[in-house]
Amino acid sequence: MVFKVYYQVTISEVPIRENTKTMFVEGESVRDVRLKLKEEPYNVEIVLPVTGAYLDYEKQNEDYKVLEL
């Protein structure tokens, strides 16, 4: 399953909407994705599953790339 992760680049950065980045990660659950990102220096805000029409829409974006950690 593909998950969309909203995050800040550094763990010490306060979450500000304008600075929030996104990435797509393959995983079995939200917990699985969070465990995969545990060692990364990111401040993960939220992890959302992406399925159906939402996934089709995201795939049309030129920045769409699923990370395999």
Side-chain angles (χ1 to χ4, degrees):
M1 180 176 247
V2 177
F3 291 85
K4 188 172 187 177
V5 178
Y6 293 85
Y7 69 98
Q8 301 296 314
V9 177
T10 61
I11 194 84
S12 62
E13 192 173 331
V14 176
I16 299 173
R17 183 183 319 178
E18 291 80 8
N19 297 339
T20 300
K21 309 276 187 220
T22 60
M23 73 171 107
F24 295 92
V25 178
E26 186 85 29
E28 294 183 21
S29 66
V30 171
R31 181 183 170 127
D32 181 43
V33 171
R34 286 190 174 270
L35 287 172
K36 288 180 179 182
L37 295 172
K38 184 178 179 183
E39 300 301 319
E40 301 296 328
Y42 304 134
N43 182 6
V44 176
E45 294 180 41
I46 190 165
V47 179
L48 299 173
V50 182
T51 59
Y54 184 29
L55 180 58
D56 294 338
Y57 173 77
E58 290 291 357
K59 284 181 179 179
Q60 294 174 8
N61 187 343
E62 63 187 37
D63 295 331
Y64 178 81
K65 184 172 105 175
V66 177
L67 300 178
E68 295 183 19
L69 303 172

